[in-house]
Amino acid sequence: MSAAKEQRSQLNVKIDIVNPADERACAAYARFRQMFGGQGRGEDLWTTDRVRRESYATVLAACWYQRQLTTLEISVHLSAAVPTLRFDLSETCLIITQDDRSRVNLLVERGQPLYDYYVTELHQSREQATVLDLRVASPLGQEPTVDEVRTLFDDLRLPLPRVFTDSDIGKVIEKALHAEDPYRR
């Protein structure tokens, strides 16, 4: 993102995440993550609430970063399907990872059949997902407040659960703007 900002070039990002409003999908993803040790460094066990917080944090981050860089275009796709892999797709390659440092990452270059297969798979997955309209999101401060975040999710028609306390929303904000990259090696 910093390179796009310096060069003032257009950057298009498509994000596919578990729909935080879909409790069944969030619970299934938590169970999947528990199979791989259950937690990251210094983090809580994977629970339905953690999955929801992380998905909400991803949406918040998308809104916040899109406001910071006018040449950034982000689309967020909320899925009821539980992903087991992470795909980072560019025009030249596809990187396939899991949020597990012991797993091998795969690099698939454009022109290889697997690249085209996964492009089709990702497109089809997005066709079945709910797309958020980030343009309706309320403005956010440099360090968003709990009230700003509540308003933002109401605007997106993705309200935070009533059981989320100010502390829960604080965790969402922290994760959205100050999280460690779990894929960094």
Side-chain angles (χ1 to χ4, degrees):
M1 188 165 99
S2 59
K5 190 173 191 174
E6 288 174 19
Q7 298 170 7
R8 296 185 181 163
S9 59
Q10 184 70 29
L11 183 61
N12 294 308
V13 177
K14 294 180 181 180
I15 302 172
D16 305 301
I17 60 172
V18 173
N19 186 342
D22 187 334
E23 192 163 342
R24 190 168 149 234
C26 291
Y29 188 69
R31 284 190 304 276
F32 169 75
R33 293 302 302 266
Q34 288 169 5
M35 291 186 325
F36 295 102
Q39 64 189 52
R41 289 183 305 241
E43 295 182 1
D44 300 330
L45 289 174
W46 282 97
T47 63
T48 301
D49 282 342
R50 179 176 175 196
V51 172
R52 292 171 92 180
R53 280 193 310 269
E54 298 231 358
S55 288
Y56 281 116
T58 301
V59 173
L60 174 58
C63 291
W64 189 86
Y65 281 104
Q66 187 163 284
R67 299 283 173 133
Q68 302 301 309
L69 183 58
T70 57
T71 59
L72 177 62
E73 184 65 37
I74 300 178
S75 61
V76 177
H77 304 259
L78 304 177
S79 177
V82 176
T84 60
L85 300 171
R86 173 180 166 169
F87 300 97
D88 292 295
L89 177 67
S90 74
E91 291 188 19
T92 60
C93 68
L94 168 69
I95 301 170
I96 305 171
T97 58
Q98 278 192 336
D99 187 5
D100 180 348
R101 293 175 190 264
S102 67
R103 298 277 179 157
V104 174
N105 299 331
L106 300 174
L107 173 69
V108 182
E109 294 182 15
R110 184 182 190 137
Q112 295 178 344
L114 196 54
Y115 180 93
D116 293 332
Y117 294 161
Y118 276 115
V119 168
T120 301
E121 179 73 18
L122 290 169
H123 176 76
Q124 191 61 27
S125 174
R126 288 184 189 121
E127 287 291 315
Q128 298 171 46
T130 301
V131 182
L132 289 179
D133 183 0
L134 302 184
R135 295 171 298 168
V136 302
S138 298
L140 295 166
Q142 212 40 43
E143 285 293 325
T145 66
V146 167
D147 289 338
E148 287 176 334
V149 171
R150 284 187 194 278
T151 301
L152 171 93
F153 283 107
D154 286 344
D155 291 349
L156 293 172
R157 294 193 173 124
L158 186 66
L160 294 164
R162 293 185 191 274
V163 297
F164 269 29
T165 64
D166 287 356
S167 176
D168 291 322
I169 297 170
K171 288 178 185 177
V172 168
I173 295 167
E174 181 66 24
K175 188 70 169 178
L177 303 181
H178 306 290
E180 179 182 332
D181 181 359
Y183 299 95
R184 185 179 52 91
R185 292 187 186 216

